[in-house]
Amino acid sequence: MKPAMETAAEENPEQSQERKGCFECCIKCLGGVPYASLVATILCFSGVALFCGCGHVALAGTVAILEQHFSTNTRDHAVLSEVIQLMQYVIYGIASFFFLYGIILLAEGFYTTSAVKELHGEFKTTACGRCISGMFVFLTYVLGVAWLGVFGFSAVPVFMFYNIWSTCEVIKSPQTNGTAGVEQICVDIRQYGIIPWNAFPGKICGSALENICNTNEFYMSYHLFIVACAGAGATVIALLIYMMATTYNYAVLKFKSREDCCTKF
């Protein structure tokens, strides 16, 4: 019994040292995780997925509403149909591009975070690495400005559908329901410029407009445009986080690459 107890006592310090080394390794690995880039990547993927998925379905529903109610002649909205089809193809490209770009930015975040915190021995950086980091900073700024425009553009169909919905609510209100003035409450979709002025009928009034608001196409398209706009806003926030993270990492790498650098961040 005594030799067995001595053997166990000899193994305990080795096991504790092994556990300590594993714990320190885990803490070191967790310290190299770019949490800001990770949050931005999740937010970017979610926002782009909402914008692309909901926007694609909402555009298809908008075309169906126009063809069935506001522009029965296909030649009147032929240009709009081509533009919407082109926008749907652009949505596929946006989704693919941001999937790859998000992964690249996350990988670049791991690299710069490890370099800034000096997790892998002596700090080393090259001019090529700093140039790549600077390129990502510039590209992220450009994409951020572009997505501000996309966010503003995605609010336009929300505004249009909200006007139609609010007009329908006026028709349904007790003050106007059952009166002759209901048929004088109209929505002229031509005033938004999406179909030409010679499109027929172009304007829907009264009970016919109320029936449009009660259709599944209108209900789904309206709410999907809202979700797509929210997705575009989430993508803008993600790109802002990317901008802050990449700019900070680039500035620190630039500073620490100087020969007279002696300050530890």
Side-chain angles (χ1 to χ4, degrees), residues 116 123 247-257 261 265:
V116 167
F123 173 79
T247 303
Y248 170 78
N249 288 333
Y250 175 75
V252 175
L253 288 176
K254 186 73 174 177
F255 179 78
K256 297 183 74 172
S257 64
C261 172
F265 280 77

Side-chain angles (χ1 to χ4, degrees), residues 163-204:
N163 284 342
I164 299 174
W165 173 82
S166 60
T167 305
C168 292
E169 291 298 314
V170 173
I171 296 175
K172 295 177 183 178
S173 63
Q175 289 80 6
T176 57
N177 192 13
T179 65
V182 171
E183 297 302 325
Q184 298 178 358
I185 301 176
C186 306
V187 168
D188 193 347
I189 204 70
R190 296 170 296 186
Q191 65 182 341
Y192 298 108
I194 59 177
I195 58 176
W197 282 104
N198 59 355
F200 181 81
K203 181 172 70 172
I204 304 295

Side-chain angles (χ1 to χ4, degrees), residues 70-71 107 158 188 190 201 210 239 249 254 256 260 264:
F70 290 98
S71 180
V158 176
D188 193 347
R190 296 170 296 186
E210 184 179 359
L239 289 173
N249 288 333
K254 186 73 174 177
K256 297 183 74 172
D260 58 346
K264 298 295 183 180

Side-chain angles (χ1 to χ4, degrees), residues 6 37 68 112 131 187 200:
E6 290 179 354
S37 297
Q68 296 174 9
T112 53
C131 181
V187 168
F200 181 81

